[in-house]
């Protein structure tokens, strides 16, 4: 599995990486712009991401905008809805509107509340059929 971890918070990025590195080759982005560039590179190289763990609230380009652009890139490159990357939004409880919008407007697959718990993250990955 190939995973992209997108979060501006070092602690959150590190925690998710420590969990995922057991089962995935992980790349890291610290904002939405870096995430889009990494995603584009993966598509062009024929090695798209299976999983994206995406923080919603980030400086520069937030997770909402990055997710919309990622879904647009998939459409432009002929990726079928069944083959698109699974996107787990990582959010704080206070982000209810952003979480809602990520699902209904952005195409997120699921979400987890921070701080990320290993058991919950691994359970979510299994339920998505990635491992």
């Amino acid at each position: 599995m190939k995973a992209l971890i997108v979060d501006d918070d070092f602690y959150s990025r590190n925690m998710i990486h420590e969990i995922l590195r057991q089962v995935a080759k992980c790349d890291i982005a610290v904002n939405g712009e870096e995430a889009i560039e990494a995603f584009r590179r993966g598509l062009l190289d024929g090695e798209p991401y299976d999983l994206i763990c995406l923080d919603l609230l980030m400086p520069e380009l937030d997770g909402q905008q990055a997710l919309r652009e990622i879904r647009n890139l998939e459409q432009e490159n002929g990726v079928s809805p069944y083959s698109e990357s699974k996107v787990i939004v990582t959010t704080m409880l206070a982000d209810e509107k952003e979480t809602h919008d990520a699902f209904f407007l952005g195409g997120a697959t699921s979400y987890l509340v921070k701080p990320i718990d290993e058991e919950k993250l691994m359970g979510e990955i299994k339920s998505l059929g990635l491992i």
Side-chain angles (χ1 to χ4, degrees):
M1 173 173 45
K2 185 176 175 188
L4 177 61
I5 301 163
V6 187
D7 202 309
D8 62 316
D9 179 69
F10 174 80
Y11 174 78
S12 294
R13 279 194 316 268
N14 195 45
M15 178 66 70
I16 294 169
H17 182 254
E18 284 300 309
I19 297 167
L20 288 181
R21 70 188 187 107
Q22 305 167 46
V23 295
K25 177 188 177 286
C26 300
D27 292 331
I28 293 174
V30 298
N31 61 48
E33 290 176 359
E34 286 185 12
I36 292 166
E37 184 53 37
F39 187 83
R40 181 180 286 119
R41 258 193 329 267
L43 274 180
L44 294 176
D45 292 345
E47 297 179 358
Y49 289 97
D50 303 296
L51 173 67
I52 302 171
C53 291
L54 180 64
D55 182 22
L56 287 182
L57 299 177
M58 296 180 289
E60 296 178 41
L61 186 72
D62 69 20
Q64 288 285 6
Q65 294 167 301
L67 179 55
R68 282 193 297 273
E69 183 62 27
I70 285 167
R71 293 303 188 214
N72 286 339
L73 285 168
E74 287 175 325
Q75 286 181 345
E76 290 170 8
N77 286 277
V79 176
S80 77
Y82 300 105
S83 300
E84 64 187 19
S85 298
K86 305 295 188 234
V87 177
I88 300 175
V89 167
T90 57
T91 185
M92 303 298 284
L93 283 174
D95 300 342
E96 289 178 23
K97 181 189 181 321
E98 289 82 4
T99 304
H100 173 271
D101 290 351
F103 281 97
F104 295 103
L105 302 177
T109 312
S110 63
Y111 79 98
L112 291 173
V113 176
K114 292 180 182 180
I116 301 301
D117 175 77
E118 180 173 1
E119 189 175 308
K120 288 180 183 174
L121 178 56
M122 294 304 284
E124 194 62 36
I125 292 169
K126 287 177 185 170
S127 75
L128 294 173
L130 294 173
I131 57 172

